[in-house]
Amino acid sequence: MKPPINTILWKENSIYIIDQRYLPNKEKIIRIKDVKGVCDAIKKMKIRGAPAIGVMAAYGVALCGINSKNIKEIKRGIEKIRKTRPTAYNLFYSLKRMESIIERKDLKFEEIKRLLIEEAEKIYNEDLVSCYKIGENGEKLIKNGMNILTHCNAGGLATTGFGTALSVFFISKKKGKKFHIFVDETRPVLQGARLTTWELEKANIPYTLICDNMAGYLMKQGKIDMVIVGADRIARNGDTANKIGTYSLAVLAKYHNIDFYVAAPSSTFDLSIKDGKDIPIEERDPEEVRGFMGKRISPKNCPVYNPAFDITPAELIKGFITEKGIIRPPYEKNIYGKILKGG
Ligand code: MRU
């Protein structure tokens, strides 16, 4: 299965990623050889998006295995990766799977190292397949002539290459459907303006970029037929953490009677968490808000609040587009049924 974008690749005991900070102006590939490089890449958002962070974390543990002399050293590496970003559940999902290998008492150290690489490759391949299926399942919702709004970047760059929300658009395009996407620019890091536009342009999908504060006016004018966003962590009642601004969109969509969908793989569902109150929300560097693309736009040291995510209550969500099908309310029961039991 060949993705449209190689967001992350494992080759000759190294991780290769597109450094997303330079997009759309430069497609810079960087090589990462150790856990320090992995943590730096996740923290500085050289790679970002929940599923991509999860795959990066898995390969990070595989690298730890290669560079370590014993299990203790690998465990230290895992703890460093765990502290990089707190919200995206995929990171913790991957670490749990990788940890289950190092805990095996029946294996020799060399076997553990080999299995860590195999497990990371498995997590990578599962994400490829899941995202493709999300596209196939979501495509059924897209009708000719629709205008769909998306926020942040839930595209190939946020996953192993197909995306979640954007996978729905890629497959719809492949099936010959005609539709148009409105892209929120997504302050402060501009994932919409820099990354989603780049991906849609590559895929030849018609789009229009808007500032985040324009969405309500467009909805009022009847210009939006549907909203599809990605997710960083979904609690078992369906409350969803996603890029800051998602909650406002969901409230606006409800008021204007517009369907609001979340596209995400099973690896983003955190069934240990009852509802959104328990999802940790990352707060990032105030400089992201004080400035714009590296240029200061406000007084030096001005007070800033910079939460990177917000929580959309389940009641505002029409359905979850997953690789296992579209999950509809009642969420607690149906998320359990589909995600845990696969039924
Ligand atoms: O801070 P980011 O860029 O990592 O946030 C990304 C998002 O909020 C995405 O919408 C989410 O991870 C889903 S990606 C398929």
Side-chain angles (χ1 to χ4, degrees), residues 17-236:
I17 60 167
I18 305 175
D19 188 336
Q20 299 186 23
R21 297 170 307 167
Y22 296 97
L23 287 172
N25 299 323
K26 204 162 133 195
E27 214 172 312
K28 185 176 173 187
I29 312 284
I30 54 169
R31 180 179 179 191
I32 294 165
K33 291 185 280 187
D34 55 26
V35 71
K36 191 164 171 271
V38 168
C39 294
D40 186 66
I42 299 176
K43 276 189 201 157
K44 292 192 179 146
M45 294 171 76
K46 297 175 187 175
I47 189 163
R48 28 68 49 204
I53 292 171
V55 174
M56 185 73 173
Y59 280 137
V61 180
L63 270 186
C64 277
I66 290 166
N67 297 330
S68 299
K69 283 179 226 53
N70 52 48
I71 295 288
K72 238 185 179 168
E73 259 185 69
I74 304 179
K75 282 189 175 167
R76 273 203 296 274
I78 289 178
E79 288 324 305
K80 283 183 189 151
I81 297 172
R82 200 188 304 284
K83 290 195 186 99
T84 51
R85 294 192 75 188
T87 306
Y89 183 62
N90 303 64
L91 181 129
F92 305 96
Y93 166 88
S94 286
L95 292 183
K96 203 165 151 191
R97 280 180 59 169
M98 302 303 278
E99 276 176 309
S100 71
I101 292 169
I102 61 169
E103 269 148 25
R104 280 181 60 179
K105 300 276 176 268
D106 58 320
L107 299 173
K108 295 207 173 68
F109 189 56
E110 285 309 310
E111 282 175 307
I112 287 182
K113 285 163 79 157
R114 183 180 54 78
L115 282 185
L116 286 177
I117 299 173
E118 272 181 33
E119 190 67 6
E121 294 280 30
K122 235 166 124 183
I123 291 172
Y124 171 95
N125 283 314
E126 283 170 14
D127 185 70
L128 268 188
V129 175
S130 293
C131 286
Y132 193 84
K133 285 189 180 158
I134 286 172
E136 287 185 321
N137 293 332
E139 175 270 324
K140 297 176 187 88
L141 300 169
I142 309 299
K143 297 189 180 69
N144 276 321
M146 263 189 169
N147 284 290
I148 305 136
L149 175 65
T150 192
H151 190 64
C152 192
N153 171 264
L157 290 166
T159 64
T160 46
F162 285 110
T164 57
L166 263 59
S167 179
V168 175
F169 309 149
F170 296 148
I171 303 282
S172 299
K173 164 88 182 171
K174 204 169 132 191
K175 296 232 165 151
K177 289 189 177 167
K178 303 260 184 287
F179 55 95
H180 167 267
I181 310 297
F182 280 104
V183 180
D184 267 354
E185 70 174 349
T186 319
R187 269 285 283 157
V189 181
L190 304 172
Q191 292 93 331
R194 297 186 302 105
L195 310 176
T196 300
T197 53
W198 183 76
E199 288 197 41
L200 292 176
E201 205 147 310
K202 255 180 176 298
N204 217 5
I205 294 175
Y207 72 88
T208 304
L209 176 65
I210 60 168
C211 298
D212 300 328
N213 48 7
M214 295 173 185
Y217 182 56
L218 265 76
M219 289 183 185
K220 176 82 179 161
Q221 293 177 91
K223 288 189 173 162
I224 311 279
D225 301 301
M226 184 183 278
V227 181
I228 310 183
V229 297
D232 280 80
R233 193 187 292 228
I234 303 164
R236 64 173 188 262

